[in-house]
Amino acid sequence: MQSSAFPWLSDLTDEQAYEFLDDVITAAQEAGTHTAFLHSLDVLVGQHAPTPALPHGVMP
């Protein structure tokens, strides 16, 4: 699946991508406010997006 908003989505299986998008829709429906939705979206992206690799020689 290709997404300009979430470029890493194409790295997921179709099942994982649809699960993420379902979670986003559910968060939007349940949030109540824009701020609550953005917070939920931030959490969801943190759970689903791959962790970026650190440059060589950089310690976490």
Side-chain angles (χ1 to χ4, degrees), residues 31-40:
T33 66
H34 292 99
T35 303
F37 170 65
L38 291 175
H39 173 72
S40 295

Side-chain angles (χ1 to χ4, degrees), residues 20-43:
F20 168 72
L21 294 173
D22 184 56
D23 289 346
V24 170
I25 291 166
T26 300
Q29 292 170 336
E30 295 177 353
T33 66
H34 292 99
T35 303
F37 170 65
L38 291 175
H39 173 72
S40 295
L41 182 60
D42 195 38
V43 170

Side-chain angles (χ1 to χ4, degrees), residues 3-57:
S3 170
S4 59
F6 307 106
W8 47 265
L9 207 58
S10 62
D11 296 336
L12 303 178
T13 65
D14 284 347
E15 182 178 305
Q16 292 169 322
Y18 288 122
E19 178 183 336
F20 168 72
L21 294 173
D22 184 56
D23 289 346
V24 170
I25 291 166
T26 300
Q29 292 170 336
E30 295 177 353
T33 66
H34 292 99
T35 303
F37 170 65
L38 291 175
H39 173 72
S40 295
L41 182 60
D42 195 38
V43 170
L44 288 170
V45 168
Q47 292 172 350
H48 291 274
T51 305
L54 294 173
H56 181 70

